Amino acid sequence: MDFIPIDYETLRLIWWALLGVLLIGFAIMGGMDLGMGALLPFVARTDDERRVMLNLQGPTWEGNQVWLVLGGGAIFAAFPPLYAVSFSGFYLAMIVILFALILRPVGFKYRGKVTDPRWRSAWDCALFIGGFVPALILGVAVGNALLGAPFDLDNTLRPSYLGNFFGLLTPFALLCGLVSLSMLVVMGASVLAARTEGALAERAAQYGQWAALAAMGLFALAGLWIAFGIEGYVITSAVVTDQASNPLAKTVAREVGGWMANYGHYPWMMVAPALGFLGMAGAAAGIKTYPGAMTIISAGLGVFGIVATAGLSMFPFLLPSSHNPVASLTVWDATSSHLTLFIMLIATLIFMPIILAYTSWVYKVMSGPVTNTSLGKNPNAY
């Protein structure tokens, strides 16, 4: 299409990068809330401390979920084959995640309706599940993407999924789930340590430090497993980047250490794992001594690096097929049309700055410490 000023290959790369930005945005912004939810029963020992935690999340958690919605929307519109395979094949896993996420708004609204400790304890458990389960299962999903999903495509490109929910819970996938859980706990603990006071902040800093050290160790273990223990996917035919999407028009091989090939071809990609380790190390070093914006930024850089490492290692693959590697979905053969990607890019360039500006304004307005004293002055507090 001569009237489109950006070629098809470049648009595909742009949308791959935008999808990564949206997923990283959710991991950082939504990770704050999920991490705090997973920490709730451990760092908050009294009802007042639990209320502080809930009111710290209350003004912003809904906006943070927008990144997840945008990510799902981007997959639907820009990568329809990926949407068709993942949202149907991983259906039960997504139902588990959605059920856990639904517990969060209900828990926020209903916990304070009754003063009975048993009532509030039950909703505290629900809020813990709403943070812990998505943080773990989303990492398990990334682990299964690295291993390859058991799906196939027929000659009309109609997908069929051949696995089941429990087949997703392999040792490597669970390790990736623990990486995800630990890094999101670091995000939540960094915010808690910076914006609360007293024993609550001290306990959050301690758990955050442990989680950061765990994240580094688990990330390193996952990297060694990827390099020496699992088969990566490699395109062995000519790579066509600017033709209509057809995942079956290529050949793919599986090789141990295949996911490490990109780092040899593009050494600059080593920045991602380096950021993962350095960010988490900075959070571990600073969360107890200098809790504040720099620690939160350091934790965010760690999350950015860890998530980006997975995406860069897999490039150009989006979702490999363990059943039939030829059916694997890549950036070059699983996108919408040239025109669709261009129109979506224009819409994104208009609305993304608005979302970022609004989010920044909300966080500026809601900045500052959250304490028992501040809750007493707010008649709308949870």
Side-chain angles (χ1 to χ4, degrees):
M1 296 185 181
D2 296 335
F3 65 91
I4 299 178
I6 306 175
D7 62 80
Y8 202 6
E9 177 183 357
T10 302
L11 276 173
R12 282 169 157 164
L13 283 172
I14 289 172
W15 272 102
W16 171 78
L18 284 174
L19 178 60
V21 168
L22 293 174
L23 296 179
I24 291 171
F26 173 71
I28 294 174
M29 307 300 289
M32 297 179 187
D33 303 320
L34 298 181
M36 281 189 268
L39 283 170
L40 181 62
F42 303 102
V43 303
R45 306 288 174 79
T46 67
D47 187 66
D48 285 341
E49 289 179 345
R50 295 186 184 102
R51 289 189 64 221
V52 167
M53 287 187 66
L54 297 183
N55 283 277
L56 178 55
Q57 303 172 61
T60 56
W61 74 267
E62 290 176 291
N64 291 339
Q65 304 305 308
V66 169
W67 293 94
L68 180 62
V69 176
L70 290 175
I75 293 173
F76 171 77
F79 304 100
L82 176 61
Y83 181 89
V85 173
S86 60
F87 278 65
S88 57
F90 300 155
Y91 189 76
L92 288 179
M94 291 187 178
I95 288 295
V96 171
I97 292 174
L98 290 175
F99 175 76
L101 290 175
I102 288 169
L103 290 176
R104 292 171 52 75
V106 179
F108 281 122
K109 298 297 183 182
Y110 281 90
R111 183 186 183 277
K113 300 296 184 182
V114 179
T115 58
D116 187 337
R118 292 172 298 179
W119 170 270
R120 294 192 172 185
S121 179
W123 285 114
D124 289 339
C125 290
L127 289 166
F128 167 72
I129 293 171
F132 176 86
V133 170
L136 179 70
I137 298 298
L138 289 171
V140 170
V142 174
N144 277 283
L146 288 162
L147 291 170
F151 72 92
D152 202 355
L153 300 173
D154 65 17
N155 57 7
T156 65
L157 302 184
R158 183 176 60 182
S160 57
Y161 187 78
L162 308 172
N164 58 70
F165 174 76
F166 293 102
L168 302 176
L169 304 178
T170 61
F172 176 76
L174 289 172
L175 172 63
C176 292
L178 292 176
V179 173
S180 172
L181 176 63
S182 59
M183 73 179 187
L184 298 189
V185 165
V186 176
M187 281 303 311
S190 298
V191 176
L192 277 171
R195 296 191 57 197
T196 61
E197 299 176 350
L200 176 61
E202 293 174 4
R203 286 192 292 268
Q206 183 63 73
Y207 276 97
Q209 188 176 60
W210 291 340
L213 295 174
M216 288 189 289
L218 293 168
F219 184 42
L221 178 59
L224 291 173
W225 201 330
I226 288 172
F228 303 108
I230 69 171
E231 293 182 322
Y233 292 72
V234 180
I235 298 176
T236 55
S237 60
V239 178
V240 180
T241 62
D242 59 354
Q243 299 299 312
S245 293
N246 180 7
L248 299 180
K250 64 179 182 300
T251 58
V252 177
R254 299 172 65 175
E255 302 175 0
V256 174
W259 289 139
M260 309 302 291
N262 280 344
Y263 297 103
H265 298 147
Y266 312 103
W268 62 266
M269 289 185 177
M270 289 299 298
V271 172
L275 273 180
F277 284 112
L278 291 174
M280 288 297 156
I287 193 169
K288 294 183 72 173
T289 310
Y290 305 106
M294 291 306 299
T295 301
I296 296 173
I297 291 171
S298 183
L301 287 174
V303 172
F304 176 95
I306 291 172
V307 178
T309 296
L312 292 172
S313 297
M314 292 180 63
F315 181 83
F317 288 89
L318 298 171
L319 186 64
S321 170
S322 58
H323 177 76
N324 178 16
V326 172
S328 299
L329 305 177
T330 75
V331 174
W332 312 125
D333 57 29
T335 65
S336 295
S337 69
H338 192 179
L339 179 60
T340 300
L341 294 183
F342 178 70
I343 293 173
M344 288 172 53
L345 179 61
I346 297 301
T348 301
L349 292 176
I350 294 172
F351 290 105
M352 183 62 78
I354 296 173
I355 294 172
L356 292 174
Y358 175 74
T359 300
S360 301
W361 176 77
V362 168
Y363 270 90
K364 180 179 180 180
V365 170
M366 299 298 174
S367 63
V370 179
T371 64
N372 289 330
T373 302
S374 66
L375 296 186
K377 298 177 181 179
N378 182 6
N380 298 312
Y382 292 119

